[in-house]
Amino acid sequence: MNLQTRIEALEAEVGAATAGNADEVERFRVATLGRNGSITALFEDFKQVPPDEKRAFGQRMNRLKELAQNRWKDLLAAVEKNTSTQEPTTADPTRPALAEPVGSLHPITLVRQRITDVFARMGYTVSQGPEVEDDHHNFSALNFPPDHPARDMQDTFFVESSEGSALRTHTSSVQVRVMESSTPPIRTISPGRVYRNEAISARAHCMFHQVEGLYVDKGVSFAELKGTLAHFVKSLFGPEVTIRMRPSYFPFTEPSAEVDMSCTVCGGKGCNLCKHSGWVEIMGCGMVDPAVLTNCGIDPGEYSGFAFGMGVERIAQLIYRVPDLRLYWENDVRFLEQFSDGAFRA
Ligand code: DAH
């Protein structure tokens, strides 16, 4: 076949080329423009063209090369747009679409939701308050004496804002807001972020989450507090888990207690998690101090109440056993995507 005929055949071939996918486009490129491709071969043979014909052949071959390059680009664009230049022969319109990858809820969100669910089933509402708080709601109304160490510069982040003077150091501030704005019976929990001026380490963070609980009604007793918290712990960790209370002190409760639950790792026998005591501390609680009720406009002669407060990261730690608190806030997707409801009782 002489050069002239080969050029014509290739022009027709290039013009008619089709491709249904990227592989076929690549095959076209290799077959024509590739190192051993048909058009590349033409240029090799060009050397034998007599000098007086070189000009005409040269122009025609360059046009062919350009034609092939443009065709290649068009085919590529077509398959990239997923519009095949060929009629699809194998498409199955009944095939389910590929699932889009979806995000996952943050482990702290999952745990907060679990905690909220348990209390919602007991009739608790959810209430929220601002993260920038004033001294009254964060400290004074909760009976913190003016010289209480919690007000210290070392613990509290102070801010200059029209909304308040500090970032709340606990969600107990929401107790005050709820009591000030409603009349008993009150049954509410307040999940939210809290802030403390702490150095960040594996075991402490300057921002963490708490869930505060408050129950105020006529004749509320300490026995109900204990029953409520035992039910909460069993709902979250399993019916075999028990609680114990140790006397403690908080300015806003009297009496106050620290709540421990039996260790879920060793069942109370003693292990590293519970530091060989069989118990792990999970929250503080107590009967709302009558002075706090008065501060919030509730008559302690008529009503009594209990309150409790727990750290969400602490509960999450007991569920997921994440060794370093900082992992929660590094936003490494490889860490975050491991959590789902399914992994909850890991
Ligand atoms: N506010 C306390 C803290 O941040 C937790 C707490 C303890 C809340 C006892 C309460 C309570 O409501 O009764 O450490």
Side-chain angles (χ1 to χ4, degrees), residues 169-172 175 196 210 212-213 250 252-253 257 283-286 307-310:
T169 58
H170 53 180
T171 43
S172 302
Q175 263 194 46
R196 290 192 197 165
Q210 286 188 334
E212 182 79 12
F250 300 102
F252 37 91
T253 42
M283 67 176 110
C285 68
F308 53 87
M310 68 188 96

Side-chain angles (χ1 to χ4, degrees), residues 21 30 51 92 101 112 115 128 130 204 262 264 268 271 273 313 338:
N21 55 44
V30 172
D92 173 5
R112 192 199 65 214
I115 297 171
Q128 284 184 316
S262 54
T264 48
C271 66
L273 182 81
E313 281 80 352
Q338 296 177 73

Side-chain angles (χ1 to χ4, degrees), residues 58-198:
Q59 279 173 354
R60 188 131 185 224
M61 282 166 53
N62 280 335
R63 267 202 306 280
L64 171 64
K65 191 173 171 188
E66 212 173 294
L67 185 75
Q69 280 166 341
N70 289 338
R71 187 75 191 155
W72 172 66
K73 281 186 205 145
D74 290 347
L75 291 174
L76 204 59
V79 296
E80 270 167 10
K81 261 202 293 170
N82 208 10
T83 52
S84 165
T85 55
Q86 259 177 356
E87 273 303 299
T89 50
T90 53
D92 173 5
T94 64
R95 212 178 79 189
L98 289 180
E100 280 293 315
V102 290
S104 54
L105 289 175
H106 193 281
I108 295 300
T109 305
L110 286 171
V111 175
R112 192 199 65 214
Q113 284 180 347
R114 288 296 177 120
I115 297 171
T116 311
D117 284 351
V118 174
F119 285 104
R121 286 200 291 275
M122 287 193 268
Y124 282 70
T125 61
V126 173
S127 39
Q128 284 184 316
E131 290 174 26
V132 175
E133 261 300 5
D134 49 47
D135 184 88
H136 170 75
H137 290 97
N138 199 75
F139 295 125
S140 310
L142 288 165
N143 230 9
F144 279 84
D147 56 353
H148 194 282
R151 297 178 183 235
D152 203 284
M153 294 293 276
Q154 277 156 23
D155 285 314
T156 308
F157 284 117
F158 292 96
V159 292
E160 279 174 27
S161 155
S162 56
E163 283 141 51
S165 54
L167 298 181
R168 67 180 177 196
T169 58
H170 53 180
T171 43
S172 302
S173 56
V174 189
Q175 263 194 46
V176 177
R177 289 182 174 273
V178 172
M179 285 194 278
E180 281 175 345
S181 62
S182 47
T183 46
I186 295 168
R187 225 186 272 159
T188 193
I189 58 162
S190 319
R193 275 190 283 267
V194 300
Y195 302 85
R196 290 192 197 165
N197 195 353
E198 304 236 15

